[in-house]
């Protein structure tokens, strides 16, 4: 896995191998090796102030050094960004391994730490890494937040996507020294997702809430199914060539709610996001079967419209499933559909629009066949009271040819 991919998700260090290959700003960890503020006994000297206020940088560096052990800097520190944002001073720092932190204080305050948010992860092979996130949520997750937009100059022509019924309102965003101010959430059910279009450079940034403070520059396309459950036309313009519509924003919001270790790093380098199936689950509530590509790995996800559940990762090494002619995925639905009473386990199988028949063979010999692209099997009906049974899935398309099964 590349150094750029290792350098994502500091708060998210539950599992390092996970969003990017971003073509946005990649900030080098080994930018300058002039020691600007070193001491013989200082394991984390400031290597490069980059023209920033030295007292402010020292305050930010000290706050970072006082962070919990897993979030402290490794080696020398360099300044990625420093400037006045509204009534706050903001400093973004990077250490030699690619770990980063963002620090803010009131411009007229006494230097108290308002927050420190890791924005990268230390490389695990000793190789200097790079910060792959081109955007970062600075403000609180429960209100309009500011977003640091990585770049050599302040972006212009920024607008945030806000869902309004069946449409999207693009709200202009003010910028102060490279930071977009008061960016609203895309929607109330998007787990804090902010989406900002940088029209001057044709870029779209998707930034998640404070629990997962990393940002992606969308490189490919976001392709939800249409209202009839079919794929949109293949000649549809890519992200960056057109503004996101409501269906695309909702799909990104669902993805943002799948807050798992496996999704955190890929969510900083999103090459494509495709919806293969959308429908109702046996336990109630709608969900989407998604494939996510990062340029280095593909994930198969189940994204729920239930924010408390969010969704799950079905496969972390799915083959290229972007708009394949036919594919089917199976998983367990363990939720109690009656809300009260014992758990019931279902095997759920859903396929792309080309799938015409699905068959499930249970470990006890039970065989269930269904026409169409969706099949839910209630294991209790077949004398199985556990979700650990073995099963096999086969499917065919309209020509009777077998379909690849993903699990």
């Amino acid at each position: 896995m590349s150094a750029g991919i290792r350098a994502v998700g500091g708060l998210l260090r539950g599992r390092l191998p996970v969003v990017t290959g971003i073509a946005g700003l990649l900030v080098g960890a080994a930018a300058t090796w002039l020691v600007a503020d070193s001491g013989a006994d200082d394991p984390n000297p400031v290597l490069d102030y980059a023209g920033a206020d030295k007292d402010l940088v020292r305050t930010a560096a000290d706050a970072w050094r006082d962070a919990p052990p897993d979030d402290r800097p490794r080696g020398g520190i360099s300044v990625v960004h420093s400037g006045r944002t509204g009534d706050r001073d903001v400093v973004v720092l990077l250490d030699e391994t690619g770990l980063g932190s963002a620090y803010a204080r009131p411009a007229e305050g006494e230097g108290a730490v308002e927050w420190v948010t890791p924005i990268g992860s230390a490389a695990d092979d000793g190789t200097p890494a790079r910060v792959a996130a081109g955007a970062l949520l600075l403000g609180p997750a429960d209100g309009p937040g500011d977003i640091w937009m990585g770049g050599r100059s302040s972006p212009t022509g920024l607008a945030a996507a806000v869902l309004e019924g069946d449409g999207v309102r693009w709200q202009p965003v003010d910028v102060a020294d490279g930071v977009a101010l008061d960016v609203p959430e895309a929607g109330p059910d998007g787990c804090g997702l902010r989406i900002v279009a940088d029209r001057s450079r044709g870029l779209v940034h998707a930034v998640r809430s404070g629990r997962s403070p990393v940002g992606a520059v969308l490189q490919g396309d976001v392709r939800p199914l249409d209202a009839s459950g079919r794929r949109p036309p293949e000649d549809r313009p890519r992200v960056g060539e057109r503004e996101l519509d409501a269906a695309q924003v909702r799909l990104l919001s669902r993805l943002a709610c799948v807050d798992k270790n496996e999704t955190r790093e890929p969510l900083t380098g999103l090459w494509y996001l495709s919806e293969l199936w959308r429908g109702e689950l046996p336990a109630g509530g709608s969900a989407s079967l998604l494939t996510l590509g990062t340029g280095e790995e593909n994930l198969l996800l189940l994204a729920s419209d239930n924010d408390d559940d969010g969704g799950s990762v079905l496969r972390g090494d799915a083959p290229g499933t972007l708009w394949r002619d036919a594919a089917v995925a199976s998983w367990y639905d363990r939720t109690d559909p009656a809300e009260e009473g014992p758990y019931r386990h279902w095997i759920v199988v859903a396929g792309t629009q080309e799938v015409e028949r699905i068959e499930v063979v249970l470990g006890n010999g039970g065989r269930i066949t269904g026409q169409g692209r969706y099949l839910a099997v209630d294991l209790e009906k077949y004398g199985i009271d556990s979700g650990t049974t073995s099963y096999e899935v086969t499917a065919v398309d309209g020509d009777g040819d077998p379909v690849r099964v993903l699990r």
Side-chain angles (χ1 to χ4, degrees), residues 60-67 71-73 77 93-95 99-101:
D62 287 343
W64 191 11
R65 295 175 184 124
D66 290 339
D71 295 334
R72 292 173 188 166
I77 298 172
L93 303 174
L94 184 72
D95 74 6
L99 187 70
S101 73

Side-chain angles (χ1 to χ4, degrees), residues 216-261:
V217 177
L218 304 183
Q219 296 301 302
D221 201 6
V222 179
R223 287 185 173 242
L225 298 172
D226 63 22
S228 66
R230 301 183 69 83
R231 296 192 291 253
E234 295 292 342
D235 58 356
R236 171 191 178 115
R238 294 162 61 91
V239 169
E241 299 173 4
R242 64 188 294 270
E243 290 186 337
L244 295 169
D245 59 28
Q248 290 175 306
V249 172
R250 288 193 181 94
L251 192 60
L252 284 168
S253 295
R254 280 190 171 181
L255 176 62
C257 291
V258 185
D259 188 31
K260 308 295 182 183
N261 289 335

Side-chain angles (χ1 to χ4, degrees), residues 12 26 51 58 91 95 108 126 129 139 159 171 175 187-188 194 242 251 263 316 370 378 380:
L12 329 167
L26 292 177
R58 290 183 181 122
V91 180
D95 74 6
E108 304 300 329
Q171 177 174 315
V175 179
R194 271 88 168 173
R242 64 188 294 270
L251 192 60
T263 65
D378 186 349
E380 185 179 58

Side-chain angles (χ1 to χ4, degrees), residues 29 48-49 56 129 132 138 165 171 173 255 261 277 285 328 334 391 398 402:
D48 178 18
Y49 284 100
L56 176 61
L138 303 180
Q171 177 174 315
V173 173
L255 176 62
N261 289 335
W277 169 86
V328 63
R334 298 181 175 88
Y391 66 96

Side-chain angles (χ1 to χ4, degrees), residues 1-13 15-22 25-29 93-101 118-125 127-136 148 213-215 264-266 268-269:
M1 183 169 289
S2 71
I5 292 215
R6 292 190 191 94
V8 190
L11 282 182
L12 329 167
R13 204 174 291 109
R15 177 180 178 272
L16 192 55
V18 223
V19 206
T20 153
I22 299 184
L25 171 71
L26 292 177
V27 183
L93 303 174
L94 184 72
D95 74 6
E96 293 177 21
T97 69
L99 187 70
S101 73
I119 59 172
S121 291
D124 60 354
D125 62 354
T127 302
R130 296 182 294 179
V131 166
L136 173 69
W148 167 64
V214 291
R264 287 164 179 164
E265 190 172 324
T268 61

